[in-house]
Amino acid sequence: MKIGVLTSGGDAPGMNACIRAVVRSSIYMSHEVFGINKGYNGLIKGDIFQMNLSSVADIIHRGGTILGTARSDEFMTEEGRKKAVEVLKIYGIEGLVLIGGDGTFRGALELAKLGIKVIAIPATIDNDLGFTDYTIGFMTATETAVDAISKLRDTSSSHGRANVVEVMGRNCGDIALMAGLAGGAETIIVPEVDFSEEDLLKKALNGVHRGKKHHIIVVAEGAIDSYKVARELEEKAGIETKVTILGHIQRGGVPTVFDRIMASSMGNFAVNLLNEGKGGLALSFTCNRVIEMDIAKALDTKKKFNEDMLKIANILSI
Ligand code: F6P
């Protein structure tokens, strides 16, 4: 069988480990494997090449994606998707492994409806997919955020300032929540929970009165304007406040052990499913193991925010 693999949407550390697993598992099972460059755009354009064992040498530890990635407007159209199916026919590719986030999964569902055998693997730093406990790249991005928080805490303590640290996550507060808890942040502001200015100011002033030298506020990008939070702290609590927007630094870097292992397991699992003639499936990491489920059902699963973890973070930072 001929198997294609692509990465789509925002890149996430661990995508390379996943591509490696797909390529090596396919070859191990005597399938031919083809890399598709630049996501769905590359698929439509036929930007496809055959991969071998060496194509994925020396990449397990690298961030980014050797296949490149894109967010494709053309694939959102019916015409674009029809072109993609034609290209797959020309190459004789019967099975596809699609690695990415929400948009990638929606594309996967459309391809499945057009009769292509697809397996979709969740990879996005946002961890915003409800059907899986974790997505590939999330832990690495969170580690990057925690590392930044620790560094900012040093300078924050030295100067007796507050620091607002803005992390990514689109509309999901998971990076902020876990980085905030692991980094010992005083306040965590996420889109899923209403922000209380009163609580923020009370906590900051209590900290000042009991001699705390720093005050770290982690803000998820989708929650509130970080500069507004800083202004409030300066104007209403009189605390000098700096803002750091971490931005795309969270998307790169050496993937953590967890991300590499999840990526490797999922890549292998996907090829096993194609080998068994299955398709139309999403992979999920649930209760410490990889499982498969119908893509439509996966996309219907609403993401739940872990409010208990936020409560713990708030208690531990009193
Ligand atoms: O989905 C991953 C992500 O990094 C989000 O956290 C962020 O909002 C967005 O992508 C940034 O997109 P771009 O790389 O296109 O600027």
mmCIF file of all heavy atoms in Angstrom, residues 9-11 71 101 123-126 128 167-172 175 221 247-248 250-251, ligand 1:
data_model
loop_
_atom_site.group_PDB
_atom_site.id
_atom_site.type_symbol
_atom_site.label_atom_id
_atom_site.label_comp_id
_atom_site.label_asym_id
_atom_site.label_seq_id
_atom_site.Cartn_x
_atom_site.Cartn_y
_atom_site.Cartn_z
ATOM 1 N N GLY A 9 -1.312 23.140 9.723
ATOM 2 C CA GLY A 9 -1.607 24.086 10.807
ATOM 3 C C GLY A 9 -0.318 24.574 11.458
ATOM 4 O O GLY A 9 0.760 24.465 10.877
ATOM 5 N N GLY A 10 -0.427 25.092 12.676
ATOM 6 C CA GLY A 10 0.771 25.571 13.380
ATOM 7 C C GLY A 10 1.688 24.410 13.709
ATOM 8 O O GLY A 10 1.220 23.342 14.107
ATOM 9 N N ASP A 11 3.001 24.594 13.527
ATOM 10 C CA ASP A 11 3.900 23.477 13.854
ATOM 11 C C ASP A 11 3.919 23.254 15.373
ATOM 12 O O ASP A 11 3.537 24.128 16.146
ATOM 13 C CB ASP A 11 5.315 23.724 13.304
ATOM 14 C CG ASP A 11 5.961 24.987 13.866
ATOM 15 O OD1 ASP A 11 5.256 25.780 14.516
ATOM 16 O OD2 ASP A 11 7.162 25.177 13.653
ATOM 17 N N ARG A 71 -1.478 26.781 6.685
ATOM 18 C CA ARG A 71 -2.931 26.785 6.886
ATOM 19 C C ARG A 71 -3.494 27.050 5.490
ATOM 20 O O ARG A 71 -3.205 28.078 4.897
ATOM 21 C CB ARG A 71 -3.340 27.884 7.860
ATOM 22 C CG ARG A 71 -2.608 27.780 9.219
ATOM 23 C CD ARG A 71 -3.180 28.774 10.213
ATOM 24 N NE ARG A 71 -2.266 29.075 11.298
ATOM 25 C CZ ARG A 71 -2.113 28.346 12.403
ATOM 26 N NH1 ARG A 71 -2.803 27.252 12.575
ATOM 27 N NH2 ARG A 71 -1.267 28.712 13.345
ATOM 28 N N GLY A 101 -3.713 20.122 14.166
ATOM 29 C CA GLY A 101 -4.732 20.499 15.147
ATOM 30 C C GLY A 101 -6.144 20.472 14.587
ATOM 31 O O GLY A 101 -6.425 19.755 13.607
ATOM 32 N N ALA A 123 -1.712 17.172 16.987
ATOM 33 C CA ALA A 123 -0.447 17.852 17.278
ATOM 34 C C ALA A 123 -0.667 19.354 17.203
ATOM 35 O O ALA A 123 -0.911 19.892 16.124
ATOM 36 C CB ALA A 123 0.634 17.421 16.282
ATOM 37 N N THR A 124 -0.649 20.000 18.328
ATOM 38 C CA THR A 124 -0.746 21.461 18.434
ATOM 39 C C THR A 124 -0.299 21.845 19.829
ATOM 40 O O THR A 124 -0.598 21.122 20.786
ATOM 41 C CB THR A 124 -2.190 21.972 18.198
ATOM 42 O OG1 THR A 124 -2.296 23.304 18.753
ATOM 43 C CG2 THR A 124 -3.254 21.121 18.849
ATOM 44 N N ILE A 125 0.395 22.968 19.940
ATOM 45 C CA ILE A 125 0.841 23.354 21.290
ATOM 46 C C ILE A 125 -0.342 23.742 22.171
ATOM 47 O O ILE A 125 -0.229 23.763 23.382
ATOM 48 C CB ILE A 125 1.872 24.513 21.256
ATOM 49 C CG1 ILE A 125 1.249 25.801 20.702
ATOM 50 C CG2 ILE A 125 3.133 24.121 20.504
ATOM 51 C CD1 ILE A 125 2.061 27.055 21.027
ATOM 52 N N ASP A 126 -1.495 24.036 21.562
ATOM 53 C CA ASP A 126 -2.628 24.601 22.322
ATOM 54 C C ASP A 126 -3.325 23.619 23.276
ATOM 55 O O ASP A 126 -3.971 24.032 24.219
ATOM 56 C CB ASP A 126 -3.679 25.162 21.359
ATOM 57 C CG ASP A 126 -3.134 26.297 20.492
ATOM 58 O OD1 ASP A 126 -2.107 26.885 20.875
ATOM 59 O OD2 ASP A 126 -3.732 26.570 19.436
ATOM 60 N N ASP A 128 -6.020 22.100 22.732
ATOM 61 C CA ASP A 128 -7.413 22.573 22.718
ATOM 62 C C ASP A 128 -8.388 21.559 22.127
ATOM 63 O O ASP A 128 -9.508 21.912 21.771
ATOM 64 C CB ASP A 128 -7.501 23.900 21.939
ATOM 65 C CG ASP A 128 -6.982 23.776 20.499
ATOM 66 O OD1 ASP A 128 -6.361 22.744 20.165
ATOM 67 O OD2 ASP A 128 -7.209 24.714 19.718
ATOM 68 N N VAL A 167 1.168 33.851 27.366
ATOM 69 C CA VAL A 167 1.478 32.604 26.655
ATOM 70 C C VAL A 167 0.451 32.371 25.546
ATOM 71 O O VAL A 167 -0.616 32.966 25.534
ATOM 72 C CB VAL A 167 1.505 31.386 27.620
ATOM 73 C CG1 VAL A 167 2.585 31.558 28.683
ATOM 74 C CG2 VAL A 167 0.148 31.157 28.269
ATOM 75 N N MET A 168 0.789 31.468 24.628
ATOM 76 C CA MET A 168 -0.127 31.160 23.517
ATOM 77 C C MET A 168 -1.229 30.198 23.972
ATOM 78 O O MET A 168 -1.328 29.855 25.144
ATOM 79 C CB MET A 168 0.653 30.548 22.360
ATOM 80 C CG MET A 168 1.321 31.569 21.464
ATOM 81 S SD MET A 168 2.040 30.751 20.020
ATOM 82 C CE MET A 168 2.393 32.167 18.992
ATOM 83 N N GLY A 169 -2.015 29.725 23.027
ATOM 84 C CA GLY A 169 -3.081 28.776 23.330
ATOM 85 C C GLY A 169 -4.374 29.084 22.599
ATOM 86 O O GLY A 169 -5.390 28.421 22.786
ATOM 87 N N ARG A 170 -4.343 30.159 21.811
ATOM 88 C CA ARG A 170 -5.548 30.589 21.086
ATOM 89 C C ARG A 170 -6.692 30.809 22.085
ATOM 90 O O ARG A 170 -6.536 31.622 22.986
ATOM 91 C CB ARG A 170 -5.935 29.552 20.020
ATOM 92 C CG ARG A 170 -6.604 30.174 18.807
ATOM 93 C CD ARG A 170 -6.845 29.099 17.772
ATOM 94 N NE ARG A 170 -5.669 28.727 17.033
ATOM 95 C CZ ARG A 170 -5.244 29.350 15.936
ATOM 96 N NH1 ARG A 170 -5.903 30.364 15.476
ATOM 97 N NH2 ARG A 170 -4.165 28.940 15.307
ATOM 98 N N ASN A 171 -7.781 30.007 22.031
ATOM 99 C CA ASN A 171 -8.874 30.215 22.988
ATOM 100 C C ASN A 171 -8.823 29.245 24.160
ATOM 101 O O ASN A 171 -9.793 29.095 24.892
ATOM 102 C CB ASN A 171 -10.228 30.062 22.279
ATOM 103 C CG ASN A 171 -10.379 31.107 21.212
ATOM 104 O OD1 ASN A 171 -10.086 32.270 21.452
ATOM 105 N ND2 ASN A 171 -10.799 30.696 20.023
ATOM 106 N N CYS A 172 -7.692 28.580 24.293
ATOM 107 C CA CYS A 172 -7.575 27.551 25.332
ATOM 108 C C CYS A 172 -6.559 27.998 26.381
ATOM 109 O O CYS A 172 -5.478 28.477 26.042
ATOM 110 C CB CYS A 172 -7.140 26.239 24.669
ATOM 111 S SG CYS A 172 -6.897 24.906 25.837
ATOM 112 N N ILE A 175 -2.035 26.014 28.404
ATOM 113 C CA ILE A 175 -0.604 26.351 28.588
ATOM 114 C C ILE A 175 -0.484 27.278 29.798
ATOM 115 O O ILE A 175 0.373 27.072 30.670
ATOM 116 C CB ILE A 175 0.006 27.017 27.328
ATOM 117 C CG1 ILE A 175 -0.034 26.068 26.128
ATOM 118 C CG2 ILE A 175 1.454 27.441 27.605
ATOM 119 C CD1 ILE A 175 0.540 26.652 24.831
ATOM 120 N N GLU A 221 -3.247 34.043 25.898
ATOM 121 C CA GLU A 221 -3.435 35.092 24.874
ATOM 122 C C GLU A 221 -4.914 35.386 24.565
ATOM 123 O O GLU A 221 -5.257 36.501 24.203
ATOM 124 C CB GLU A 221 -2.698 34.724 23.580
ATOM 125 C CG GLU A 221 -3.224 33.470 22.900
ATOM 126 C CD GLU A 221 -2.528 33.170 21.575
ATOM 127 O OE1 GLU A 221 -1.765 33.979 21.068
ATOM 128 O OE2 GLU A 221 -2.774 32.054 21.048
ATOM 129 N N GLY A 247 5.126 34.530 22.731
ATOM 130 C CA GLY A 247 4.963 34.362 21.280
ATOM 131 C C GLY A 247 5.481 33.045 20.723
ATOM 132 O O GLY A 247 5.434 32.001 21.387
ATOM 133 N N HIS A 248 6.025 33.135 19.504
ATOM 134 C CA HIS A 248 6.355 31.917 18.755
ATOM 135 C C HIS A 248 7.530 31.132 19.321
ATOM 136 O O HIS A 248 7.783 30.016 18.864
ATOM 137 C CB HIS A 248 6.604 32.264 17.280
ATOM 138 C CG HIS A 248 5.336 32.579 16.553
ATOM 139 N ND1 HIS A 248 4.755 33.821 16.615
ATOM 140 C CD2 HIS A 248 4.515 31.804 15.811
ATOM 141 C CE1 HIS A 248 3.633 33.810 15.911
ATOM 142 N NE2 HIS A 248 3.456 32.598 15.412
ATOM 143 N N GLN A 250 7.415 29.631 21.842
ATOM 144 C CA GLN A 250 6.766 28.427 22.405
ATOM 145 C C GLN A 250 6.540 27.339 21.361
ATOM 146 O O GLN A 250 6.208 26.210 21.684
ATOM 147 C CB GLN A 250 5.405 28.807 23.016
ATOM 148 C CG GLN A 250 5.518 29.747 24.179
ATOM 149 C CD GLN A 250 4.219 30.516 24.411
ATOM 150 O OE1 GLN A 250 3.421 30.131 25.234
ATOM 151 N NE2 GLN A 250 4.014 31.598 23.687
ATOM 152 N N ARG A 251 6.658 27.695 20.108
ATOM 153 C CA ARG A 251 6.382 26.710 19.054
ATOM 154 C C ARG A 251 7.622 25.887 18.684
ATOM 155 O O ARG A 251 7.500 24.861 17.991
ATOM 156 C CB ARG A 251 5.837 27.441 17.824
ATOM 157 C CG ARG A 251 4.430 27.979 18.037
ATOM 158 C CD ARG A 251 3.400 27.131 17.295
ATOM 159 N NE ARG A 251 3.525 27.322 15.894
ATOM 160 C CZ ARG A 251 2.888 28.254 15.185
ATOM 161 N NH1 ARG A 251 2.066 29.079 15.786
ATOM 162 N NH2 ARG A 251 3.064 28.338 13.902
HETATM 163 O O1 F6P B 1 -2.339 26.994 17.166
HETATM 164 C C1 F6P B 1 -1.036 27.238 17.569
HETATM 165 C C2 F6P B 1 -0.783 28.712 17.706
HETATM 166 O O2 F6P B 1 0.556 28.904 18.099
HETATM 167 C C3 F6P B 1 -1.715 29.454 18.684
HETATM 168 O O3 F6P B 1 -1.346 29.273 20.021
HETATM 169 C C4 F6P B 1 -1.572 30.880 18.207
HETATM 170 O O4 F6P B 1 -2.698 31.637 18.565
HETATM 171 C C5 F6P B 1 -1.457 30.697 16.709
HETATM 172 O O5 F6P B 1 -1.013 29.363 16.490
HETATM 173 C C6 F6P B 1 -0.494 31.637 16.023
HETATM 174 O O6 F6P B 1 -0.611 31.407 14.656
HETATM 175 P P1 F6P B 1 0.472 31.860 13.575
HETATM 176 O O7 F6P B 1 1.678 30.997 13.727
HETATM 177 O O8 F6P B 1 -0.202 31.643 12.275
HETATM 178 O O9 F6P B 1 0.796 33.276 13.875
#
